[in-house]
Every structure is written in structure tokens, then in C-alpha cells.
Amino acid sequence: MPSAVTLVRSRTLAASAEYAYAATAPANARLIFLAGSCPLDADGATVGVGDYAAQAAMCVENMRTTLAEAGAEITDVISTRVLVASTRQADLVAAWGVVREAFGAHDVPSTLLGVTVLGYDDQLVEIEAVAAVVD
């Protein structure tokens, strides 16, 4: 099934951004608001301790699971917010690279933030997302 999400490109803003500047969904779309996807395994343990990319990968995996359980997939995501517990831009970029690769051509509007601390022991990355589907 084709995605209800339409990505909006800008002809006047910087072309170097690795994401669409906006996204829309039709009025009849069902919106799905995901809680922050965390780098936790099925037992609740933090995976990839100290590794931003590994934690981002686990967040993406958990996000895909949640999307599927809500009747959606990654191409139905309309926006993301990637939170990285670091003040170093290189750490943010390490996490972002994994997220960007997971979304591929479906480069949804996204915000990448460095934050002081996240909720779980040893947690370095969290991904929030909103999706839209037409049932």
C-alpha cells in the first residue's frame, strides 16, 4: 500500500539538508504518535552501551516493531526527533547516520538534538516519531 505521507521539498532553502523540509498527510489519515523509541532489548536492558550508532540501530528496530503493531511501516512516518545524549556533534552525526540510512529515500522532516541525559541507564539515543496511514 502506498504511503499517505507526502514529503515537501524546498527550492529556496539549503539543498544540503538530508531530509525534506515538511511533510503532509491527507485529512482522512490516522495519525500514530510513537513514544520515544529507546535502545532497549526485550528484557529491558540497554544495548550498545557507549556506542551511539548501535543504540540508534536498536531504536530504529524498536520503532519498526511499534509501527508494525500500529498498522504502519517506516514509509508512513511523517516526522522524527532524534535525541542524543552528548555535547559532541560527532556523536550526534553517528546516531543520525544510522537513522538516515534506515529511512533511505523516505527522508522525513527531522530534528536532531543534543541533550544532557536520557531516561534509562546508559541510554545515549532516543527517537520520537509521528506516522500517518489511511485505513
Side-chain angles (χ1 to χ4, degrees):
M1 170 191 305
S3 175
V5 176
T6 301
L7 300 178
V8 179
R9 311 275 175 211
S10 175
R11 292 182 208 160
T12 56
L13 297 174
S16 59
E18 294 182 335
Y19 46 80
Y21 278 100
T24 65
N28 62 333
R30 175 172 55 94
L31 295 179
I32 303 165
F33 297 87
L34 281 69
S37 178
C38 300
L40 305 177
D41 65 17
D43 296 322
T46 303
V47 302
V49 173
D51 185 335
Y52 290 91
Q55 287 201 7
M58 188 69 197
C59 290
V60 169
E61 183 179 326
N62 288 340
M63 180 180 60
R64 286 180 188 270
T65 298
T66 303
L67 285 165
E69 291 172 353
E73 54 191 52
I74 203 163
T75 55
D76 296 314
V77 171
I78 196 166
S79 68
T80 67
R81 181 176 298 132
V82 181
L83 309 170
V84 181
S86 179
T87 59
R88 295 182 59 238
Q89 187 179 31
D91 298 333
L92 277 69
V93 170
W96 173 251
V98 172
V99 174
R100 178 71 185 89
E101 184 176 320
F103 277 88
H106 187 67
D107 55 346
V108 298
S110 191
T111 300
L112 176 62
L113 298 168
V115 299
T116 304
V117 66
L118 292 167
Y120 292 100
D121 290 341
D122 300 313
Q123 181 183 2
L124 300 172
V125 180
E126 187 163 334
I127 303 171
E128 298 176 4
V130 177
V133 295
V134 177
D135 293 321

